[in-house]
DNA sequence: TGAGATACTTTGAAGTTCAAAGTATCTTGA
DNA sequence: TCAAGATACTTTGAACTTCAAAGTATCTCA
């Protein structure tokens, strides 16, 4: 039991950071003109455009947990690079809808593919029972942070 | 099975990012003059100083996966803030040992405490079996990235 | 002893983020 | 109807993080 705690702690201290670094490196090969942050924006916009949520700037910013100002800067860069487009809302002309271009959709697909490979790599070597535990545990991890969020 | 894959993927896309954000917010309260990055440097130095590894700058930089130049900048700032000290190596005068000050040790303890609470929060609500799976799964996750690292 | 390796620092530039102020548009209550 | 305030996004100025490449000091070994 105590041992699990130490292993989990070790994971959170070291491996967590490694994962982000490695993902960044892997994606630098396939999408050299996108940083990981930018890719996350593209991905959030792709997800929203598939009807999985609000595709307006404020909603995307909230999902990514960045301020509206930060998002504006990212979107301007991504629009310039041809991954996204801004579309003024017809009804409420203050609102901006963010939509992926063809290029944006392709980038999203590449990132998804990367994740799919990773997840498949994990699933294929883990016994069903461990998978169950992993998913349960990660859900609990998410819950912990969800409740911590309210200070 | 397929369902696990989707859940894992969702975790990697959204929750992963949330965790970093939340940790950052939580620590901003207790250690307002340290960013999360800086705290990670302090923590790595604390770990090394406990005999868990090489405490020279190059080793710390490798552990954190940043360049030597980046580490220099962080260490200079942290030395100025009183969390770390540089100590020239006696035998090889090119080398710099990084050691935590009292203040650095305290910061490390606070961060560790945060992690301990988080891990305890997870462990206490998860059945033993799920914990086993979680640890196994995370280990596999780490392995996946370890092997991807070699491009 | 001198050439090259090693360990760290400096420099210049780019990317990311935020708070706060600014602009445009909408909503609501008098 | 219209002004006050709310809302949605953008701009601005500043700080932080990072890197590559060049620079400095020191060591190693032939």
């Amino acid at each position: 039991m105590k041992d699990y705690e130490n292993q989990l702690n070790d994971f959170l201290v070291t491996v967590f950071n490694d994962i982000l670094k490695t993902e960044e490196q892997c994606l630098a090969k396939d999408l050299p003109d996108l940083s990981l942050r930018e890719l996350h924006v593209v991905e959030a916009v792709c997800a929203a455009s598939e009807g999985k949520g609000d595709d307006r700037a404020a909603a995307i910013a909230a999902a990514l947990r960045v301020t509206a100002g930060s998002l504006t800067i990212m979107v301007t860069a991504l629009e310039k690079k041809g991954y996204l487009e801004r579309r003024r809302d017809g009804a409420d002309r203050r609102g901006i809808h963010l939509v992926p271009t063809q290029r944006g959709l392709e980038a999203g697909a590449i990132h998804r593919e990367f994740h799919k490979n990773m997840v498949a790599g994990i699933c294929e070597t883990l016994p069903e029972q461990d998978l169950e535990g992993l998913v349960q545990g990660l859900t609990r991890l998410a819950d912990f942070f969800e409740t911590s969020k309210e200070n």
Side-chain angles (χ1 to χ4, degrees), chain A:
Chain A
M1 185 53 159
K2 203 63 190 166
D3 190 41
Y4 289 144
E5 294 199 6
N6 283 333
Q7 285 182 268
L8 275 177
N9 213 352
D10 178 61
F11 176 81
L12 289 163
V13 172
T14 63
V15 183
F16 212 86
N17 189 39
D18 280 3
I19 287 180
L20 283 179
K21 293 278 183 185
T22 308
E23 183 169 4
E24 203 155 7
Q25 278 171 21
C26 289
L27 292 165
K29 284 184 300 184
D30 296 324
L31 297 164
D33 66 338
L34 284 184
S35 69
L36 187 54
R37 307 288 192 177
E38 288 177 327
L39 189 52
H40 282 158
V41 175
V42 173
E43 187 145 76
V45 172
C46 287
S49 82
E50 287 164 8
K52 289 179 191 163
D54 194 337
D55 70 347
R56 277 174 302 176
I60 303 287
L64 294 169
R65 300 244 234 150
V66 297
T67 62
S70 299
L71 186 67
T72 292
I73 292 163
M74 297 294 252
V75 169
T76 301
L78 287 169
E79 208 174 23
K80 204 165 292 173
K81 291 185 193 176
Y83 288 95
L84 299 181
E85 270 176 28
R86 285 174 163 102
R87 297 239 180 99
R88 187 130 247 146
D89 186 295
D92 182 345
R93 293 172 41 71
R94 292 167 305 179
I96 296 275
H97 295 275
L98 298 177
V99 296
T101 60
Q102 184 56 38
R103 193 185 171 94
L105 290 170
E106 282 161 17
I110 287 173
H111 194 198
R112 238 191 302 264
E113 187 65 22
F114 174 82
H115 276 170
K116 221 178 88 181
N117 287 340
M118 177 173 60
V119 170
I122 297 160
C123 290
E124 111 198 339
T125 53
L126 269 188
E128 177 91 7
Q129 200 189 45
D130 287 353
L131 262 185
E132 169 76 31
L134 178 59
V135 169
Q136 290 293 322
L138 291 181
T139 305
R140 204 74 59 175
L141 200 62
D143 288 348
F144 177 85
F145 278 99
E146 194 59 35
T147 54
S148 308
K149 212 185 287 183
E150 297 122 30
N151 303 331

